Amino acid sequence: MRLILASASPRRLDLLARIGVVPDAVVPADVDESVPHGELPRDHALRLARAKAEAVATQEPDALVLAADTVVAVGRRILPKVEDEATLRACMALLSGRRHRVLTGVALAAPGQPLRTRLVETMIAMKRLSPEDIDFYAAHGEWRGKAGGYALQGYGEVYVRHIAGSYSNVVGLPLAETRLLLKAAGYPIG
């Protein structure tokens, strides 16, 4: 059976390769990712993962469609995908010295089967960041397009004091749960 990854994230492709999975195609889903007023982080991550899987499954009805959405949350507040330095600095100031959650909703659409979903949550404690820390991080540019503005797999790792949960979840795709979803749908995986 063909597997379609409904994501433009190169990190998700790299993560899938770690478990021996190479999608037959990558078809990014075109869905509105705005946060409706009052939507909680858990609900947001799962809703977007479902919407992405369903959108691509309508185009590829005979394939497995894997989709995911990663959210960084401080309390009930969902941080944006950062595209400019001012937003990065605001996010880093908010994360400084605090705990936050990284939630990834994963959805798998399979022909003739109900949509399967999982939600994975990882807790991260960030060290207190000085203005120099934020300047250093801003200069590297790896934060562009990242939820909450940092990449745990890059320079952002030096600011993390503690992580409780799935590392791959923070990078963008929880591998243990994704592997189980694929196996349950009959995808050949070791």
Side-chain angles (χ1 to χ4, degrees), residues 12-186:
R12 290 193 178 117
L13 271 176
D14 292 344
L15 286 167
L16 283 171
R18 291 183 191 176
I19 57 172
V21 174
V22 178
D24 295 291
V26 174
V27 181
D30 183 22
V31 299
D32 178 7
E33 295 191 22
S34 61
V35 183
H37 180 71
E39 186 171 52
L40 297 175
R42 297 172 68 87
D43 298 333
H44 184 70
L46 269 176
R47 179 179 63 78
L48 287 181
R50 281 187 195 106
K52 291 173 181 180
E54 290 167 347
V56 174
T58 61
Q59 302 168 36
E60 298 279 352
D62 297 327
L64 288 174
V65 177
L66 178 65
D69 193 77
T70 301
V71 170
V72 174
V74 176
R76 297 167 59 114
R77 182 176 177 181
I78 298 171
L79 276 64
K81 285 187 181 171
V82 175
E83 297 298 341
D84 61 76
E85 193 170 321
T87 304
L88 167 72
R89 290 178 180 280
C91 285
M92 296 305 279
L94 181 64
L95 294 171
S96 177
R98 298 178 77 171
R99 292 181 184 266
H100 64 277
R101 297 174 296 147
V102 178
L103 304 109
T104 300
V106 182
L108 183 67
Q113 298 179 29
L115 188 70
R116 291 177 167 84
T117 61
R118 292 288 180 275
L119 180 76
V120 178
E121 182 174 326
T122 303
M123 191 68 96
I124 294 186
M126 187 82 71
K127 79 176 205 85
R128 187 164 307 282
L129 301 174
S130 68
E132 293 79 21
D133 290 330
I134 295 172
D135 289 344
F136 174 80
Y137 193 65
H140 288 288
E142 73 179 10
W143 44 267
R144 288 192 193 282
K146 305 283 191 307
Y150 75 95
L152 184 62
Q153 71 278 18
Y155 293 103
E157 186 173 12
V158 301
Y159 304 127
V160 173
R161 287 188 301 111
H162 178 77
I163 179 171
S166 169
Y167 176 89
S168 63
N169 176 53
V170 181
V171 178
L173 190 66
L175 291 179
E177 292 77 7
T178 300
R179 184 177 175 277
L180 290 175
L181 282 174
L182 290 167
K183 282 186 78 132

